[in-house]
Amino acid sequence: MGKVAIRTYTREGCVVFLKTKDAFGGLSNMAGGFPLEVNGSRILTTEALYQACRFPHLGEVQRLIISQSSPMTAKMRSKPFRSQTRDDWLRVRVRIMRWCLACKLIQNREVFSKLLMETKNLPIVEQSSKDKFWGAVPSGPNELVGANVLGRLLMELREKVINSQISLSELEPPEVPNFLLYGAPIEIVTDAILRENSLF
């Protein structure tokens, strides 16, 4: 993604999401209803997967995070271990988030691609109370200011879907060293969970 710039967004010209129950709340990593499967393990939300990726060297911490029934609890469970986050986290976190979002797409293809397409060609912005990196914070009644990296990754993913630049059946792991789940290298993610769910 290169150097991240702070930008100003006008609400009227954007798709802004904040609460998971809102019209575009499914774009949030906190949204339920988008189950994932990585290395044969079920993971309830993108947030849990992303947080688990902080700790490739701590399989039990990953299990603790992934076992939580809500995405907020998964995030909170990671906090006591933040001092043990992988050393290169700031360098690799955007690559990992991009991969997490692609996992969400290929394993929830119909619903998530439809949601992305409903944003049309508008800027996608995650509203946050304080996070100017992943989201953007309110600045007056009509503006949001921030790097909005999550929103930009979602726009990037939308563009790849439109231009058929992403496989919707399998996904290679990102080029990140020691990319592990429970001590094993993370393998190619497939749409197997989607095919399995379609049998019912």
Side-chain angles (χ1 to χ4, degrees), residues 7-102:
R7 300 181 181 184
T8 299
Y9 300 90
T10 304
R11 287 183 184 276
E12 289 76 7
C14 300
V15 170
V16 179
F17 65 94
L18 172 62
K19 297 178 180 178
T20 59
K21 299 298 183 185
D22 291 345
F24 289 96
L27 297 172
S28 171
N29 289 336
M30 294 288 182
F34 297 93
L36 307 169
E37 184 176 301
V38 177
N39 284 18
S41 295
R42 292 296 181 105
I43 303 170
L44 294 180
T45 61
T46 318
E47 183 67 25
L49 176 59
Y50 174 75
Q51 294 298 337
C53 288
R54 287 175 172 271
F55 308 104
H57 54 301
L58 298 173
E60 289 308 307
V61 174
Q62 291 182 319
R63 287 185 193 280
L64 177 65
I65 293 167
I66 288 170
S67 70
Q68 303 307 308
S69 59
S70 82
M72 183 55 71
T73 307
K75 183 175 182 178
M76 296 306 293
R77 285 283 187 251
S78 76
K79 286 194 171 183
F81 304 97
R82 292 285 174 88
S83 64
Q84 299 176 67
T85 296
R86 55 181 300 150
D87 293 339
D88 59 354
W89 182 245
L90 293 182
R91 291 196 302 276
V92 302
R93 61 179 174 166
V94 172
R95 268 176 275 169
I96 289 174
M97 182 67 81
R98 180 183 285 116
W99 173 81
C100 288
L101 294 173

Side-chain angles (χ1 to χ4, degrees), residues 86-146:
R86 55 181 300 150
D87 293 339
D88 59 354
W89 182 245
L90 293 182
R91 291 196 302 276
V92 302
R93 61 179 174 166
V94 172
R95 268 176 275 169
I96 289 174
M97 182 67 81
R98 180 183 285 116
W99 173 81
C100 288
L101 294 173
C103 288
K104 182 176 178 178
L105 174 68
I106 73 165
Q107 295 190 330
N108 301 274
R109 183 170 60 227
E110 184 175 339
V111 176
F112 196 50
S113 63
K114 180 175 183 287
L115 189 60
L116 285 171
M117 292 304 99
E118 286 173 353
T119 65
K120 300 181 180 177
N121 64 342
L122 295 172
I124 300 172
V125 182
E126 180 184 38
Q127 181 176 331
S128 174
S129 61
K130 57 184 179 181
D131 187 346
K132 284 189 174 182
F133 180 77
W134 291 115
V137 302
S139 175
N142 299 313
E143 290 186 343
L144 296 158
V145 176

Side-chain angles (χ1 to χ4, degrees), residues 37 106-107 168-171 188-195:
E37 184 176 301
I106 73 165
Q107 295 190 330
L168 293 177
S169 60
E170 63 177 35
L171 177 68
I188 292 174
V189 171
T190 72
D191 64 351
I193 189 172
L194 178 67
R195 294 198 304 272

Side-chain angles (χ1 to χ4, degrees), residues 140-192:
N142 299 313
E143 290 186 343
L144 296 158
V145 176
N148 187 39
V149 173
L150 181 61
R152 289 161 65 183
L153 288 175
L154 287 165
M155 288 185 273
E156 178 187 288
L157 187 60
R158 177 181 65 190
E159 195 68 20
K160 288 180 178 178
V161 172
I162 291 170
N163 296 319
S164 301
Q165 293 176 331
I166 185 169
S167 168
L168 293 177
S169 60
E170 63 177 35
L171 177 68
E172 295 274 354
E175 292 185 6
V176 171
N178 301 314
F179 196 55
L180 310 174
L181 183 65
Y182 308 149
I186 292 180
E187 302 166 357
I188 292 174
V189 171
T190 72
D191 64 351

Side-chain angles (χ1 to χ4, degrees), residues 194-200:
L194 178 67
R195 294 198 304 272
E196 179 182 320
N197 290 341
S198 72
L199 298 176
F200 299 95

